[in-house]
Amino acid sequence: MAKFERIPTPAVRRLSLYLRQLERFRAADRRTVSSRELGDAVAVSDAQVRKDLAYFGQFGHPGIGYRIAELIDRVRRILGTDKQSNVLIVGVGNLGRALASYRGFAKQGFDLVAAFDDDARKIGTRLTESIRVKPMDDLVKTVAGHQIRFGILCVPATSAQAAAEQMIAAGIRGILNFAPVTLQVDAGVAVSSVDLAVHLEQLSFQLGGGRYGAGKAADV
Amino acid sequence: MAKFERIPTPAVRRLSLYLRQLERFRAADRRTVSSRELGDAVAVSDAQVRKDLAYFGQFGHPGIGYRIAELIDRVRRILGTDKQSNVLIVGVGNLGRALASYRGFAKQGFDLVAAFDDDARKIGTRLTESIRVKPMDDLVKTVAGHQIRFGILCVPATSAQAAAEQMIAAGIRGILNFAPVTLQVDAGVAVSSVDLAVHLEQLSFQLGGGRYGAGKAADV
């Protein structure tokens, strides 16, 4: 592990973008791709593609480029999504319901297996074909029973920290956080936050909406 | 403008985090804050706080720290969110509906004023108290009439590029993209993409789900 500790977060983010694009190439029946073609498709330079991949090993074949199926397998192994992982949702408001119906998760190795809310009126209601909303008291049992490590948190800001602590106490180790708060978590717990207002502010800045716009597009 | 072109994207992202935290401090009736307190609250170092703010000018007061109300005003001006901006949504599925009910937007300077879909069954249905879903043909007229520069794109991946092009042709200059595709846009158009599977993959990587986990939490 130590060997890889210095990999910059943006490089890991780009691995996801490469993976998404490689899957599209494969769906279009392509077998190989050059770093330039892959870079062009996701708007980064070919040098950046090679550099990002070089953190993890040797992937290209001289005179061929990358073999798409092989590179997909290897990137998935690097990201740890070569096996399906179980995921739960805490907070079944509009956003929770939208996320539950988002098909991208399963395709990328994440199976939504349970949903929780502390609103008694929601408990027992159907979220998807196979999932009914459970009370927060069932969190510990469900996490253990389904070996769930990842949780999606979409409760209001005011209850986010408390809900996150319940998730962590139950054994969750990675939280995708949609509440507009900075969660305080112990070392060993990973948090990725999606604050939608932040994204809009970044766009506003890029468009020079203030006095300082830089005009460059940012991604994820 | 040229002077600010080299501001790193992560620094601008952190401005949003600082702003969120400053608003919480103000809501708790605090008047001043040190770079250390602000940094602690959003999990960055005090040196980083000072460095990020220094890109934009001189904000601190010796012996006092930052005056919270003043810093909020100035960060909003930098981000261009000191005035309200009109926003539209294209794609009124589950996610579009969830986003329409997300109250964080208005609070941060963004007013959702219109929604569009190409599904005839959705046209005319009520999205919020004040918004009914319009056909895509109305895009040009609405963008001009409401002076809208920002659009939230939440259509399926297969129709995202075409929908983005319609938005841009109508005058939209910033797109918050939820479709899991890399949009190809002209210079002068800013795109910020929220790919939920990417966020989960990043968590998976951090947890060492693959062979290379780094164990460090990342944020937006």
Side-chain angles (χ1 to χ4, degrees):
Chain A
M1 272 206 197
K3 191 176 161 200
F4 295 100
E5 253 166 42
R6 287 162 172 284
I7 297 165
T9 303
V12 183
R13 282 212 182 94
R14 284 189 294 267
L15 279 192
S16 287
L17 297 183
Y18 301 152
L19 179 56
R20 225 44 17 88
Q21 185 58 43
L22 289 165
E23 287 163 345
R24 282 193 285 271
F25 282 143
R26 184 167 63 177
D29 280 331
R30 291 204 36 184
R31 301 292 175 85
T32 64
V33 66
S34 68
S35 53
R36 174 170 299 262
E37 286 171 298
L38 181 54
D40 282 350
V42 299
V44 308
S45 71
D46 55 330
Q48 186 73 67
V49 170
R50 289 191 299 269
K51 188 179 167 195
D52 289 339
L53 292 175
Y55 285 115
F56 303 98
Q58 174 67 40
F59 297 94
H61 301 279
I64 293 178
Y66 303 108
R67 293 202 173 96
I68 288 171
E70 178 192 347
L71 191 52
I72 288 174
D73 283 349
R74 292 186 64 178
V75 173
R76 284 201 178 142
R77 275 208 298 269
I78 292 167
L79 294 172
T81 57
D82 50 327
K83 302 190 183 71
Q84 293 290 118
S85 292
N86 289 336
V87 178
L88 58 78
I89 280 185
V90 173
V92 186
N94 278 310
L95 185 60
R97 289 188 182 277
L99 295 175
S101 66
Y102 180 68
R103 290 195 182 78
F105 288 139
K107 231 175 80 183
Q108 304 310 332
F110 300 95
D111 287 325
L112 180 67
V113 295
F116 298 84
D117 205 291
D118 63 0
D119 180 346
R121 289 164 302 182
K122 289 178 183 166
I123 312 293
T125 63
R126 197 178 281 286
L127 183 65
T128 68
E129 196 77 352
S130 56
I131 296 173
R132 284 181 187 276
V133 180
K134 295 182 182 188
M136 292 297 280
D137 288 344
D138 287 5
L139 207 51
V140 173
K141 194 175 62 186
T142 306
V143 169
H146 288 84
Q147 299 184 298
I148 307 175
R149 295 197 309 155
F150 299 102
I152 300 171
L153 180 60
C154 28
V155 301
T158 47
S159 37
Q161 180 65 36
E165 286 168 13
Q166 286 181 276
M167 291 163 79
I168 294 164
I172 293 296
R173 285 296 163 263
I175 297 178
L176 178 54
N177 171 40
F178 284 87
V181 297
T182 304
L183 297 176
Q184 310 292 338
V185 300
D186 298 335
V189 177
V191 175
S192 180
S193 289
V194 182
D195 187 326
L196 303 173
V198 169
H199 279 276
L200 280 173
E201 284 170 354
Q202 301 300 308
L203 287 178
S204 173
F205 179 83
Q206 287 164 38
L207 293 186
R211 325 295 166 238
Y212 315 97
K216 224 192 126 276
D219 230 307
V220 176
Chain B
M1 270 209 197
K3 193 179 160 199
F4 295 100
E5 256 167 38
R6 287 163 172 286
I7 297 164
T9 303
V12 183
R13 282 210 183 96
R14 284 189 294 267
L15 279 192
S16 288
L17 297 182
Y18 302 152
L19 179 57
R20 230 34 26 84
Q21 184 58 42
L22 290 164
E23 288 163 343
R24 281 192 286 270
F25 282 144
R26 183 167 65 176
D29 280 332
R30 292 202 38 182
R31 302 292 175 86
T32 63
V33 66
S34 69
S35 54
R36 175 170 298 264
E37 287 171 298
L38 181 53
D40 282 352
V42 299
V44 308
S45 73
D46 54 332
Q48 185 74 67
V49 171
R50 289 191 300 271
K51 188 178 167 195
D52 288 341
L53 293 176
Y55 285 116
F56 303 97
Q58 174 65 41
F59 297 93
H61 301 278
I64 294 178
Y66 303 107
R67 293 204 172 95
I68 288 171
E70 179 192 347
L71 192 52
I72 287 174
D73 283 350
R74 292 186 64 179
V75 173
R76 282 200 179 145
R77 274 210 297 271
I78 293 166
L79 294 173
T81 58
D82 50 327
K83 303 188 183 72
Q84 293 290 118
S85 292
N86 289 336
V87 177
L88 59 77
I89 280 185
V90 173
V92 187
N94 278 309
L95 184 60
R97 291 189 180 277
L99 295 174
S101 66
Y102 179 68
R103 289 192 184 78
F105 287 139
K107 231 175 80 186
Q108 304 310 331
F110 299 95
D111 288 325
L112 181 67
V113 294
F116 298 84
D117 206 292
D118 64 359
D119 181 344
R121 289 163 303 181
K122 290 178 183 164
I123 311 296
T125 62
R126 197 176 281 287
L127 183 64
T128 68
E129 196 78 350
S130 56
I131 295 173
R132 285 182 186 277
V133 180
K134 295 181 182 189
M136 292 296 279
D137 288 344
D138 287 4
L139 205 52
V140 173
K141 194 174 63 188
T142 306
V143 168
H146 288 83
Q147 298 185 297
I148 309 175
R149 294 199 307 156
F150 299 102
I152 301 172
L153 181 58
C154 29
V155 302
T158 46
S159 37
Q161 179 65 34
E165 286 168 14
Q166 286 181 275
M167 292 164 78
I168 293 164
I172 294 297
R173 285 296 166 264
I175 298 177
L176 178 54
N177 171 39
F178 284 88
V181 296
T182 303
L183 297 177
Q184 310 291 337
V185 300
D186 298 334
V189 176
V191 175
S192 181
S193 289
V194 183
D195 187 326
L196 304 172
V198 168
H199 279 275
L200 281 173
E201 283 170 355
Q202 301 300 308
L203 286 177
S204 172
F205 179 83
Q206 286 164 40
L207 293 187
R211 325 294 167 242
Y212 314 97
K216 223 190 129 278
D219 230 305
V220 175

